[in-house]
Amino acid sequence: MPDSLRFPTVRMRRLRYHPRLRQLVQATRLDPAQLVLPLFVRPGRDERRAIAALPGHDQLSVDRLGDEIRTAARLGLGGVILFGIPAHKDAVGSDAMKDDGIVQQALRAAKDAAPELLVVSDVCCCEYTSHGHCGVVDDATGRVDVNNDATLELLGQQAVSHARAGADVVAPSGMMDGMVGAIRAALDDAGFAHVPIMSYAAKYASAFYGPFREAAESTPQFGDRRAYQMDPAAEAGQALREVELDLAEGADLVMVKPALAYLDVIRLVRDRFPGVPLAAYNVSGEYSMVKAAAANGWIDERAVALESLTAIHRAGAGIILTYWARDVARWLG
Ligand code: PBG
């Protein structure tokens, strides 16, 4: 190393003394316009049921959704993503495809409340199926499993129904092979060629989804999701193949999920696919852990949340789905 690069010539702390200089040399800044807030809708009237494992979040009936939507719009959030808890579940998740299904009602209510707010709909079967898996389950392969290709047809119908109800973006989260292509074709055929797809492209079989499954009442009734979601111990490069395939099938935006335990994957995807909008889902468990520790007085929620989101952004995610979206807008506002 040349002398000119050595202490005392170089003092890294010079950039850190003045608060304005620290700010001037920042490269990562959080912006509410890049955050997407998850919302949970349930049947009934005038219902607001607290989700114990996600403090600060509730299952809302459609008539109570308007206030949340207007708040999200007023705070300047990038958007909301809707998850539905249907009144009836069955083996194929029929309610997911109905034009008067819970998410379809919620989409219409959201568009009524604040037409300018971006509304994303999660496209998956697990909230609607009695068994809680992300597709049709059968034993066609000789073992009980989600039938990939039979599920694609249902996902296409669900996405079209969401688009008809006003979804600005559809977000398939079931990790079925070919799901993006099937949804793209179904949307195009139905006159929705303009509706973008945000694919949960690299979604891992993660224990960090625990609180969400309480929120969405979508815990698998048998087995787990390891036969379709990615193995956390697989080579990180497998995520690149997933993203590449989804892009080839027509994905407009791609997602890595969860976020904090997969920052390496976010960085890898960012570097390999510049120009592709990249989202990361700061999932329920990442939020609940901090909430629980903060409730015990062990950690400063606001500081930890902002640091976590900054890390996710720095790793390369331009868009972050987070349960802190509203709080961040208020903290930064
Ligand atoms: C549905 C879906 C899940 C999440 C988003 N969409 C759950 C799962 O795959 O079990 C998790 C979100 C979170 O934990 O915050 N397939």
Side-chain angles (χ1 to χ4, degrees), residues 256 258-268 308 311-316:
V256 171
L260 284 178
Y262 298 86
L263 295 177
D264 57 330
V265 177
I266 295 173
R267 172 48 58 195
L268 206 57
S308 301
I312 296 164
H313 195 22
R314 192 187 62 231

Side-chain angles (χ1 to χ4, degrees), residues 2-295:
D3 273 352
S4 62
L5 287 181
R6 279 207 190 103
F7 177 80
T9 312
V10 174
R11 290 178 179 270
M12 294 305 288
R13 293 185 59 197
R14 273 184 213 122
L15 289 171
R16 299 176 193 146
Y17 289 117
H18 197 299
R20 294 291 162 170
L21 183 55
R22 284 203 299 271
Q23 195 177 298
L24 189 69
V25 300
Q26 272 181 359
T28 304
R29 223 164 261 148
L30 295 172
D31 179 349
Q34 292 178 302
L35 304 180
V36 177
L37 174 72
L39 292 173
F40 299 91
V41 253
R42 62 165 306 115
R45 286 200 58 79
D46 203 23
E47 292 250 28
R48 175 182 280 276
R49 290 197 198 172
I51 302 162
L54 283 179
H57 291 265
D58 309 284
Q59 295 179 341
L60 298 165
S61 52
V62 173
D63 57 326
R64 300 284 294 267
L65 189 64
D67 286 345
E68 296 299 331
I69 296 293
R70 280 184 288 269
T71 302
R74 181 172 44 77
L75 290 172
L77 299 187
V80 297
I81 180 164
L82 298 178
F83 296 95
I85 299 105
H88 305 287
K89 303 194 185 211
D90 62 26
V92 294
S94 318
D95 272 28
M97 283 93 71
K98 293 187 178 151
D99 285 341
D100 62 350
I102 188 73
V103 162
Q104 289 83 346
Q105 292 179 39
L107 283 163
R108 285 189 290 267
K111 285 289 132 190
D112 272 352
E116 73 282 12
L117 184 73
L118 190 83
V119 184
V120 183
S121 70
D122 186 85
V123 175
C124 195
C125 300
C126 60
E127 293 123 73
Y128 306 90
T129 49
S130 42
H131 45 70
H133 279 286
C134 300
V136 189
V137 173
D138 63 25
D139 57 2
T141 58
R143 62 195 150 70
V144 177
D145 188 15
V146 174
N147 184 321
N148 193 90
D149 297 8
T151 302
L152 297 182
E153 166 70 26
L154 304 180
L155 293 176
Q157 289 177 28
Q158 191 182 339
V160 168
S161 177
H162 287 181
R164 220 181 272 132
D168 297 306
V169 178
V170 294
S173 64
M175 288 300 283
M176 293 299 120
D177 287 324
M179 68 180 183
V180 173
I183 289 172
R184 186 70 273 156
L187 287 171
D188 291 358
D189 283 352
F192 295 106
H194 58 286
V195 174
I197 299 175
M198 174 163 72
S199 175
Y200 288 66
K203 175 173 176 181
Y204 287 84
S206 171
F208 285 99
Y209 307 150
F212 173 94
R213 292 181 188 169
E214 182 207 311
E217 300 179 14
S218 62
T219 307
Q221 297 305 299
F222 60 87
D224 54 40
R225 304 209 203 288
R226 286 170 203 272
Y228 38 104
Q229 298 179 348
M230 292 172 67
D231 182 351
E235 265 187 73
Q238 196 183 97
L240 297 177
R241 298 188 70 197
E242 289 282 1
V243 168
E244 199 168 18
L245 280 166
D246 284 7
L247 291 173
E249 290 174 30
D252 302 282
L253 310 92
V254 296
M255 195 197 299
V256 171
K257 177 184 170 192
L260 284 178
Y262 298 86
L263 295 177
D264 57 330
V265 177
I266 295 173
R267 172 48 58 195
L268 206 57
V269 173
R270 174 70 292 148
D271 288 348
R272 186 67 67 87
F273 299 100
V276 175
L278 174 60
Y281 201 139
N282 174 221
V283 300
S284 56
E286 300 175 52
Y287 172 86
S288 302
M289 289 192 300
V290 176
K291 281 284 186 186

